Amino acid sequence: MNRKWSGSAARAWLILLMFFPPLFSCTKDIPGNPKKTVEDYIEAVQKSDFETIYRLNRVTARQRKYIEKSKNGHVEQELKASFETHKAAYEAAEPGFFIGARWAEKYFFPSTSRVVIGEARHPPPAGVDYEKGFTLYVTVKASYTKREDAPELDGRKIKEAVFDCILGKIRYGENVRVYSHDEQWFFSGCILDRPSARFFMSQNPKQ
């Protein structure tokens, strides 16, 4: 791949995806309100509102549903234990930019960050048609007003960056499977677009 494409052209492509998603995928066929899910989730992260995080996160929401459907007679105790376990894991989470890093959004969206949330779009074709109904990407541009709160990448504090946040579905209500027309979306995490990152100037004049 051409290095020029990985830089300015890639950023231009992301901006187009963010603000003009109909050019690249049909969004009118997306059920529910996935953009609001991302808005509510990021707001909860910024406010340290773990009750909302727990409700909207795909992993915790799925576990909650399984517990609620269990018939062991200890549902309330198990729900409380699940909440407390995940809350402790969230509070102890370490920064991470690798795919699958749990609770990385805690560092991506601190309370002092500003975010611009784009429209939901379908993922790039992967050769499996049914995936289109169960996964969405929402582009989020974050800027950091305080250097000390900004995430750090390769030893440098990020000033602004673009993330692809991923939404998915779970078995909801009495469904025995997930349907593409289900309106409930849950937050699965975010991936940093590394070429989009802009950094604070170094505080060390020798660098």
Side-chain angles (χ1 to χ4, degrees):
M1 180 180 290
N2 186 307
R3 286 186 178 273
K4 291 182 179 179
W5 166 250
S6 64
S8 58
R11 289 191 297 276
W13 179 258
L14 278 167
I15 291 171
L16 285 172
L17 284 174
M18 185 172 183
F19 296 105
F20 302 99
L23 295 175
F24 304 96
S25 63
C26 183
T27 58
K28 65 182 181 181
D29 62 337
I30 296 175
N33 193 344
K35 181 177 180 179
K36 188 175 187 307
T37 298
V38 175
E39 290 173 345
D40 290 348
Y41 192 92
I42 291 179
E43 182 179 0
V45 169
Q46 292 177 319
K47 293 181 176 179
S48 298
D49 174 10
F50 192 74
E51 288 190 9
T52 300
I53 294 170
Y54 182 81
R55 175 172 56 85
L56 295 178
N57 184 274
R58 185 171 179 270
V59 171
T60 53
R62 183 171 53 187
Q63 185 177 78
R64 178 181 175 181
K65 280 297 171 184
Y66 286 156
I67 294 173
E68 289 174 341
K69 288 180 178 296
S70 67
K71 300 178 181 180
N72 62 11
H74 303 284
V75 172
E76 290 302 319
Q77 295 94 316
E78 289 192 18
L79 284 173
K80 183 177 179 180
S82 170
F83 179 88
E84 295 299 335
T85 297
H86 286 292
K87 183 177 181 181
Y90 179 84
E91 292 174 349
E94 297 292 335
F97 288 97
F98 56 91
I99 296 176
R102 289 288 287 140
W103 306 123
E105 58 271 17
K106 170 183 172 181
Y107 295 96
F108 296 163
F109 309 118
S111 60
T112 55
S113 63
R114 297 173 181 171
V115 298
V116 178
I117 301 173
E119 298 297 328
R121 70 185 191 278
H122 295 298
V128 183
D129 291 339
Y130 70 82
E131 288 183 351
K132 182 177 179 179
F134 305 109
T135 303
L136 292 175
Y137 288 175
V138 177
T139 301
V140 177
K141 182 178 180 180
S143 56
Y144 303 96
T145 60
K146 291 188 176 180
R147 182 191 186 101
E148 59 269 26
D149 295 339
E152 185 174 302
L153 177 65
D154 300 330
R156 295 187 293 171
K157 287 284 190 174
I158 297 175
K159 188 172 184 179
E160 62 178 34
V162 173
F163 298 86
D164 262 334
C165 293
I166 304 168
L167 299 180
K169 295 184 177 182
I170 64 171
R171 295 179 182 178
Y172 205 76
E174 299 301 320
N175 291 345
V176 295
R177 58 167 291 179
V178 182
Y179 293 93
S180 61
H181 60 262
D182 288 345
E183 295 187 351
Q184 293 284 341
W185 292 98
F186 297 89
F187 193 91
S188 295
C190 295
I191 302 170
L192 169 68
D193 175 65
R194 286 178 176 252
S196 74
R198 291 292 175 268
F199 300 92
F200 284 96
M201 293 183 63
S202 174
Q203 292 181 324
N204 185 345
K206 293 182 179 180
Q207 294 183 353

